Amino acid sequence: MAYMSMGEAHRRITDYINNFSDAIFGQDGASLRHLISFSFNNPKLLSVADALSVFQDSSRLIRQSSEILVPLLRSLQCYKLDQLVDAYNSYEKFASAFIQEFRNWESAWALQALYAVCYEIRILAERADRELASNGKSPEKLKAAGSFLMKVFGVLAGKGPKRVGALHVTCQLFKIYFKLGTVNLCRSVIRSIETARIFDFEEFPVRDKVTYMYYTGRLEVFNENFPAADQKLSYALTHCHLHHETNIRMILKYLIPVKLSVGILPEDSLLEKYKLLEYRDVVLALRRGDLQLLRCALQEHEDRFLRSGVYLVLEKLELQVYRRLVKKIYFIQKLKDPNRAHQIKLDVIVKALKWRLIDMDVDEVECIVAILIHKNLIKGYFAHKLKVVVLSKQDPFPKLNGKPVGS
């Protein structure tokens, strides 16, 4: 920190207090938001933190203006000193006082400032938990932040113009629950948003709707409800700003496995553009009917797929690979002898699998084909004595029509 005189420190603190008061009395939500957002390391705010360390009687000066500023500036000072647990504790005190004020304001002019409060609470909690963990203590602040934001949600979940902020708070809660691994807690918030008559989903800001659909789509993936996951993630992708490539990549990370499960394969150019090359061999395995390639791809990127929660979705693609292999054999036979193309010897499938380095006997192949028939992935029946699967002459490989393979 460069040298700062007492007079300069006094001026900076006074300017901040005046700007804060002007934003409140002028109902200037944008200015207020900048004054309470310091995790972005705004140089002007950090200079106020330096002034607080220099000016010895700053507490009296702050209290003369507004009690609500005392914990906020204390939090700012701790943040600058990298005392993140103390910074979080003080910010939560400020946030509680701010919410009480917000509740009393009739209009929604301070929504942008409220969004900043919710964001800061989450970010400071994450950083405070890292500090606690590094000191051998139990991380607890992110959980506390979740409890606080539920109270904020309760303030917004009523009638009037403030209710449009409820979805933003919901998205912050989702981020906390996913970080903590407590996604089951999302259900009550989702129920409030999707069943309460006071909410009209289309009135929420597009940004919040995209985030909401992304997280609820991920939940549907975890619940293996792929049609719903497809609908929600597709909504998020369609409405996401084209220039937000990082967000598009995050959506595609989950949408691609969902689309694969219903037989829709992405172009390689899409995987290249959004740096999702871990899916390249998975897609190639489906195109070729190559089970060995699929298994190798899953093994190579196992950690990444497990962290994303899509490993089990991709693992179930094995049935689709078998289906594609049988389909390839069918078309090859059709070129040689169109009249007998629908009769496929199980031994031929065994040989095709061995060519792909998969060692199976006829009984194992018969079991797999039986599953394909049972799940209506192929149409046909067995001629058991001849060890032949007889495919239907009418549409032997029905379209999936949105039904996931393996469901």
Side-chain angles (χ1 to χ4, degrees):
M1 179 179 69
Y3 172 77
M4 185 186 304
S5 67
M6 288 282 286
E8 175 63 16
H10 182 275
R11 185 189 67 79
R12 290 187 185 184
I13 296 169
T14 302
D15 284 349
Y16 179 88
I17 292 172
N18 290 337
N19 290 336
F20 187 91
S21 298
D22 290 345
I24 295 289
F25 289 113
Q27 296 191 350
D28 186 349
S31 295
L32 184 59
R33 180 189 65 194
H34 290 301
L35 291 168
I36 60 180
S37 304
F38 46 79
S39 65
F40 293 103
N41 294 323
N42 183 323
K44 287 187 177 180
L45 284 182
L46 295 181
S47 72
V48 175
D50 292 335
L52 292 168
S53 298
V54 171
F55 194 71
Q56 297 176 353
D57 204 15
S58 59
S59 295
R60 184 182 61 82
L61 182 64
I62 297 165
R63 284 192 175 90
Q64 286 176 345
S65 174
S66 173
E67 282 290 334
I68 196 174
L69 279 174
V70 175
L72 176 63
L73 291 176
R74 169 63 181 161
S75 177
L76 176 60
Q77 191 174 12
C78 292
Y79 178 81
K80 179 66 189 298
L81 296 172
D82 213 26
Q83 298 168 357
L84 297 171
V85 174
D86 290 337
Y88 172 83
N89 291 336
S90 294
Y91 199 92
E92 187 179 311
K93 290 177 182 177
F94 157 73
S96 297
F98 178 82
I99 294 302
Q100 288 301 318
E101 295 290 333
F102 181 86
R103 192 195 297 267
N104 296 328
W105 294 326
E106 292 184 4
S107 71
W109 70 267
L111 267 180
Q112 290 300 317
L114 179 74
Y115 295 164
V117 167
C118 295
Y119 176 83
E120 292 293 323
I121 278 286
R122 179 176 65 83
I123 296 300
L124 286 174
E126 289 180 2
R127 295 178 181 178
D129 275 354
R130 286 198 288 270
E131 181 182 298
L132 287 169
S134 66
N135 293 329
K137 298 179 181 179
S138 176
E140 58 183 13
K141 298 305 177 184
L142 195 57
K143 185 178 179 180
S147 299
F148 175 82
L149 290 182
M150 276 302 298
K151 295 176 183 176
V152 178
F153 180 84
V155 171
L156 296 172
K159 295 180 180 179
K162 296 178 184 177
R163 69 180 183 273
V164 298
L167 199 66
H168 185 89
V169 178
T170 297
C171 294
Q172 294 296 327
L173 280 167
F174 284 168
K175 291 176 182 180
I176 289 174
Y177 294 154
F178 273 79
K179 185 87 172 179
L180 292 174
T182 55
V183 294
N184 58 300
L185 296 177
C186 296
R187 293 173 187 167
S188 61
V189 189
I190 293 171
R191 196 158 47 244
S192 298
I193 292 291
E194 297 188 354
T195 62
R197 294 180 180 179
I198 59 172
F199 294 121
D200 178 1
F201 189 73
E202 291 309 314
E203 76 177 307
F204 293 118
V206 173
R207 178 190 64 181
D208 294 335
K209 289 191 290 187
V210 168
T211 305
Y212 179 83
M213 286 298 199
Y214 164 71
Y215 279 104
T216 52
R218 283 183 61 180
L219 284 172
E220 299 295 2
V221 172
F222 294 153
N223 294 331
E224 299 189 11
N225 186 356
F226 299 120
D230 189 0
Q231 180 261 322
K232 291 175 181 292
L233 292 169
S234 295
Y235 181 100
L237 182 65
T238 301
H239 293 84
C240 187
H241 198 288
L242 288 174
H243 296 307
H244 295 167
E245 291 195 3
T246 300
N247 292 344
I248 292 175
R249 183 181 183 278
M250 289 171 62
I251 296 167
L252 286 173
K253 188 190 295 185
Y254 296 93
L255 184 57
I256 286 173
V258 170
K259 290 293 188 183
L260 291 176
S261 75
V262 296
I264 300 173
L265 311 186
E267 294 295 330
D268 194 62
S269 57
L270 182 77
L271 303 180
E272 186 84 38
K273 179 177 180 180
Y274 293 103
K275 298 179 177 62
L276 291 165
L277 299 181
E278 64 267 27
Y279 290 114
R280 177 176 277 170
D281 282 348
V282 175
V283 174
L284 189 59
L286 288 169
R287 293 189 192 282
R288 292 178 177 176
D290 190 339
L291 186 61
Q292 179 68 10
L293 182 59
L294 176 65
R295 290 176 176 176
C296 287
L298 293 182
Q299 185 176 9
E300 181 181 355
H301 303 290
E302 183 178 11
D303 289 344
R304 184 175 298 181
F305 292 145
L306 285 171
R307 283 197 304 271
S308 299
V310 299
Y311 184 86
L312 294 178
V313 182
L314 298 173
E315 194 176 41
K316 290 184 178 180
L317 295 176
E318 284 201 2
L319 279 179
Q320 203 177 137
V321 172
Y322 286 121
R323 178 180 187 265
R324 186 61 63 98
L325 181 62
V326 174
K327 192 173 184 179
K328 282 183 173 289
I329 294 170
Y330 168 78
F331 280 120
I332 291 171
Q333 291 191 170
K334 196 171 184 180
L335 289 173
K336 293 181 178 180
D337 187 354
N339 294 325
R340 300 177 64 84
H342 62 289
Q343 299 178 16
I344 300 178
K345 293 181 179 180
L346 296 180
D347 189 54
V348 171
I349 301 175
V350 170
K351 289 178 181 178
L353 286 167
K354 283 185 178 178
W355 183 61
R356 294 293 192 187
L357 305 177
I358 300 295
D359 190 17
M360 286 188 181
D361 58 29
V362 171
D363 290 337
E364 288 174 302
V365 168
E366 184 175 354
C367 181
I368 289 166
V369 175
I371 293 171
L372 294 176
I373 293 172
H374 173 71
K375 292 184 176 292
N376 200 36
L377 299 176
I378 63 175
K379 290 182 180 178
Y381 63 90
F382 284 112
H384 289 284
K385 289 184 178 179
L386 299 174
K387 294 291 183 182
V388 168
V389 58
V390 182
L391 299 177
S392 171
K393 292 184 178 181
Q394 297 295 323
D395 193 21
F397 302 97
K399 292 183 179 180
L400 299 177
N401 293 325
K403 184 179 180 182
V405 173
S407 64

